[in-house]
């Protein structure tokens, strides 16, 4: 089921009336701020929710996702979770793929890495960008943390080492 670009869509109550749904994609639903109702899609395998070119999809929290125990694919690109709590995703032990933006505190990414080690989520201390450093030509990176700014790991070796150490320390001590 694909639903896109609607200002009339404010909740997921329609999920209750759909007996079997395996895949749901929601794009640019500006008035949808809560995922209550998604838990009725007990057998859902794939769920994507995202904003569009001109803004992020804003959600208060993602707690209802924690009940989707059969979920294998989750896409949250261009989605901002106001609570900044990614912990509910740690309950999704069948998750094979997770797409997350880099808007959240480093601890939230460490929780995902610790609790979902077999999921393809690309979580580490940084993400490589598509941009080349103007000084040396190496690919730049963006830290996996809220407010992280792109930099060149070759030109800023100590910053890169410090970033990886900080992430490793958080990961080692995260709940």
């Amino acid at each position: 089921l694909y639903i896109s670009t609607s200002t009339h869509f404010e909740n997921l109550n329609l999920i209750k009336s759909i007996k079997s749904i395996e895949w749901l994609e929601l794009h640019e639903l500006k008035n949808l701020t809560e995922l209550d109702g998604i838990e009725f899609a007990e057998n859902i395998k794939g769920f994507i929710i995202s904003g569009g070119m001109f803004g992020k999809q804003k959600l208060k929290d993602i707690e209802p996702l924690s009940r989707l125990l059969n979920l294998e694919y989750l896409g949250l690109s261009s989605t901002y979770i106001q609570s900044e709590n990614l912990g509910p995703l740690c309950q999704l032990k069948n998750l094979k793929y997770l797409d997350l933006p880099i808007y959240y505190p480093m601890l939230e990414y460490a929780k995902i890495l610790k609790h979902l080690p077999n999921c393809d989520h690309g979580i580490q201390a940084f993400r490589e960008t598509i941009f080349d450093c103007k000084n040396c030509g190496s690919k730049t990176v963006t830290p996996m943390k809220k407010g992280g700014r792109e930099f060149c790991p070759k030109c800023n070796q100590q910053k890169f080492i410090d970033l990886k150490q900080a992430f490793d320390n958080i990961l080692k001590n995260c709940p």
Side-chain angles (χ1 to χ4, degrees):
L1 179 61
Y2 180 88
I3 301 169
S4 179
T5 318
S6 172
T7 55
H8 301 292
F9 207 86
E10 297 179 0
N11 59 57
L12 296 178
N13 289 337
L14 78 103
I15 301 297
K16 293 178 192 177
S17 63
I18 300 174
K19 298 296 178 209
S20 180
I21 185 169
E22 287 193 22
W23 196 274
L24 178 62
E25 292 189 33
L26 306 174
H27 296 281
E28 297 186 86
L29 302 178
K30 303 292 182 206
N31 292 332
L32 182 70
T33 60
E34 297 181 3
L35 294 177
D36 294 332
I38 192 72
E39 66 272 13
F40 293 104
E42 295 172 351
N43 296 316
I44 194 167
K45 301 280 188 219
F47 179 56
I48 297 172
I49 183 166
S50 68
M53 276 179 34
F54 303 109
K56 300 172 185 129
Q57 178 69 44
K58 293 180 183 164
L59 298 173
K60 291 179 183 175
D61 66 60
I62 54 170
E63 183 60 39
L65 292 179
S66 69
R67 298 192 241 1
L68 300 179
L69 302 180
N70 294 311
L71 197 63
E72 295 178 4
Y73 181 99
L74 179 59
L76 297 171
S77 66
S78 193
T79 300
Y80 179 69
I81 301 149
Q82 294 169 333
S83 71
E84 295 187 345
N85 178 14
L86 301 179
L89 301 181
C90 295
Q91 306 302 314
L92 304 177
K93 302 300 182 187
N94 288 320
L95 208 56
K96 294 177 183 171
Y97 180 83
L98 174 62
D99 183 14
L100 287 171
I102 308 178
Y103 306 146
Y104 307 106
M106 197 178 273
L107 174 62
E108 297 304 311
Y109 297 107
K111 286 181 199 175
I112 301 290
L113 183 58
K114 183 174 183 176
H115 293 279
L116 300 175
N118 298 319
C119 178
D120 178 8
H121 42 55
I123 293 177
Q124 56 184 349
F126 60 90
R127 279 200 184 150
E128 189 174 281
T129 72
I130 60 169
F131 304 108
D132 296 329
C133 173
K134 293 174 184 165
N135 295 328
C136 72
S138 295
K139 292 291 181 203
T140 60
V141 298
T142 301
M144 289 283 291
K145 66 177 187 174
K146 183 177 182 178
R149 299 216 180 254
E150 176 186 339
F151 69 94
C152 175
K154 189 173 181 182
C155 295
N156 298 287
Q157 289 180 358
Q158 189 59 50
K159 183 175 182 176
F160 191 60
I161 290 167
D162 292 347
L163 173 66
K164 291 193 299 186
Q165 286 176 342
F167 187 79
D168 289 345
N169 287 336
I170 290 171
L171 182 61
K172 185 171 43 174
N173 297 310
C174 84

